[in-house]
Amino acid sequence: AQTVTQSQPEMSVQEAETVTLSCTYDTSENNYYLFWYKQPPSRQMILVIRQEAYKQQNATENRFSVNFQKAAKSFSLKISDSQLGDTAMYFCAFMSYGQNFVFGPGTRLSVLP
Amino acid sequence: DAGVIQSPRHEVTEMGQEVTLRCKPISGHNSLFWYRQTMMRGLELLIYFNNNVPIDDSGMPEDRFSAKMPNASFSTLKIQPSEPRDSAVYFCASSQGQGWAEAFFGQGTRLTVV
């Protein structure tokens, strides 16, 4: 069974600084997707970024980028120029073909003014 | 599209009562997921449908929980009888393709059982 681990329960960062959230996963699959979801206080789950395992190039979405290390089964999220609106829970998620999503326990990020 | 629609947004009920949560997935999506979120256990998958058929219900806590998807545009999660430990936020999510795309979440139903 696949598992997703996020070793940082809480993190904080100063506004405009850069922060990296860690995620590792365990799978025997070769083809899969990885995702980062954001859950602000409104509790809405919002997709931040996704990465296909067969792509070597790291995904980027504006201020958000990932460092995908397939051999190490690592998938970290970097947030550049942090903004107050980035304050939220961040969940790393894994999906292999035809299977359900497996979520990590989440990292609570606080952006400080 | 309006996104995944869940109702009600909030539900308060007494222990022992039946509770029904509803979900309308995004049109054209053929995978639907029910999750439960609590502080202690995080996000737990309860059940996963593909093309209206339950694929994995191993996360359903016990027989008090049941889920149906009578058609592609509607699903229900029922708890009967409800217990205080069922208090949580319940999310419905849908995705396109057979689980090979990101999930889009509804806004969740906050259930409180007193």
Side-chain angles (χ1 to χ4, degrees), chain B residues 37-112:
Chain B
Q37 186 178 32
T38 61
M39 289 291 291
M40 292 298 294
R41 301 174 69 92
L43 267 169
E44 301 174 276
L45 178 73
L46 300 178
I47 188 167
Y48 158 43
F49 292 89
N50 185 254
N51 292 324
N52 313 336
V53 176
I55 303 300
D56 181 0
D57 65 354
S58 59
M60 296 288 263
E62 46 199 275
D63 292 345
R64 298 184 298 106
F65 286 68
S66 63
K68 293 182 179 179
M69 192 165 186
N71 57 62
S73 59
F74 184 65
S75 177
T76 59
L77 177 67
K78 184 178 294 186
I79 308 172
Q80 165 64 16
S82 58
E83 297 183 2
R85 60 193 170 114
D86 301 331
S87 297
V89 178
Y90 290 81
F91 285 100
C92 176
S94 69
S95 71
Q96 191 173 32
Q98 189 171 347
W100 200 230
E102 62 264 34
F104 293 83
F105 282 75
Q107 293 197 297
T109 295
R110 180 176 293 281
L111 174 64
T112 303

Side-chain angles (χ1 to χ4, degrees), chain A residues 37 39 43-44 50 95 101, chain B residues 35 37 99 102-103 107-108:
Chain A
Y37 280 86
Q39 187 180 39
R43 86 169 181 241
Q44 177 70 51
R50 76 175 196 178
M95 169 176 266
F101 281 81
Chain B
Y35 288 90
Q37 186 178 32
E102 62 264 34
Q107 293 197 297

